[in-house]
Amino acid sequence: RKIFFWVFGGLVGLMLLLMFVVWPIMKTNTKKISPEQNITYTQGDLELYAFYSSPGKKGRVIFGELVPYNEVWRTGANEASTFTTNKDLFINGKDLPKGTYSLWTIPGETSWQVIFNSEMYGWGVKFTDQTASRDPKYDVVVATVSSSKSLTITENFTISFSEVGEDNLMILAWDNIVVPVLLQEK
């Protein structure tokens, strides 16, 4: 009976050590490599916000290798990226109600699927097989948008916003790829 309590206590202690010491250290180290970014954009009474972690190119081939074509990507590193809007939007003619969404993409060679998912995920990939944490049954909008090659290299993955006439763009950029997503107010 004493042995059971020693073994059980040791396992509980080990789990607590992992949860409160090892995990925070690992998370801090990954944040140094791919720092968190918080982007707020205001145009009139429209407010857009993006949270993501920004990995670097570091001489690697990004799309088609590090980030495979035709597979779901967490659109950054670490936690799943998020997108928030205070207004209802049209994205490629599809309704996106105001709210906060996890942001996923499926990169292709000439076009990308940009996915707004209603669920929030603690980490962008599953620990078991490193595939995306996204559950497609919670997809609210899946928009196919064209990608283009840039003449310049974007060293760190970036999400930015820009005004285009009466509409707005969310721009995803990394390496020599730029993906503009048209955001129209309803």
Side-chain angles (χ1 to χ4, degrees):
R1 192 170 159 120
K2 284 184 179 182
I3 293 173
F4 171 76
F5 285 114
W6 277 100
V7 170
F8 182 74
L11 288 174
V12 169
L14 180 62
M15 289 180 64
L16 289 173
L17 178 69
L18 287 172
M19 278 180 24
F20 294 107
V21 177
V22 175
W23 176 250
I25 290 171
M26 285 175 50
K27 192 172 179 182
T28 299
N29 285 336
T30 63
K31 298 294 180 163
K32 288 178 189 174
I33 296 168
S34 300
E36 290 181 357
Q37 303 294 324
N38 295 285
I39 306 301
T40 302
Y41 173 80
T42 304
Q43 182 62 32
D45 56 353
L46 174 67
E47 292 179 13
L48 304 174
Y49 172 79
F51 165 84
Y52 64 99
S53 291
S54 178
K57 177 173 169 51
K58 300 176 193 159
R60 302 175 288 186
V61 174
I62 302 301
F63 298 107
E65 289 192 21
L66 180 66
V67 177
Y69 289 129
N70 305 314
E71 291 183 22
V72 177
W73 178 43
R74 63 180 148 184
T75 315
N78 305 326
E79 297 93 343
S81 298
T82 60
F83 171 87
T84 302
T85 175
N86 71 328
K87 299 272 190 179
D88 295 344
L89 299 174
F90 284 122
I91 299 177
N92 280 15
K94 298 177 182 179
D95 292 330
L96 183 70
K98 67 181 177 181
T100 298
Y101 301 90
S102 56
L103 182 64
W104 305 87
T105 51
I106 301 175
E109 291 187 51
T110 59
S111 66
W112 286 31
Q113 289 183 28
V114 179
I115 303 162
F116 297 84
N117 185 287
S118 64
E119 290 295 302
M120 297 299 117
Y121 303 86
W123 203 247
V125 294
K126 299 172 192 164
F127 290 107
T128 53
D129 60 6
Q130 297 298 297
T131 60
S133 300
R134 165 189 162 254
D135 185 340
K137 74 179 177 184
Y138 297 107
D139 292 348
V140 177
V141 169
V142 178
T144 301
V145 298
S146 295
S147 61
S148 61
K149 292 203 180 223
S150 173
L151 297 176
T152 60
I153 298 294
T154 302
E155 180 61 32
N156 286 78
F157 173 69
T158 304
I159 298 176
S160 61
F161 296 101
S162 179
E163 181 181 349
V164 177
E166 293 183 17
D167 298 320
N168 299 284
L169 286 177
M170 176 174 66
I171 302 163
L172 311 176
W174 196 17
D175 195 0
N176 65 340
I177 299 297
V178 177
V179 181
V181 182
L182 184 62
L183 308 172
Q184 298 173 301
E185 282 189 66
K186 282 180 79 171

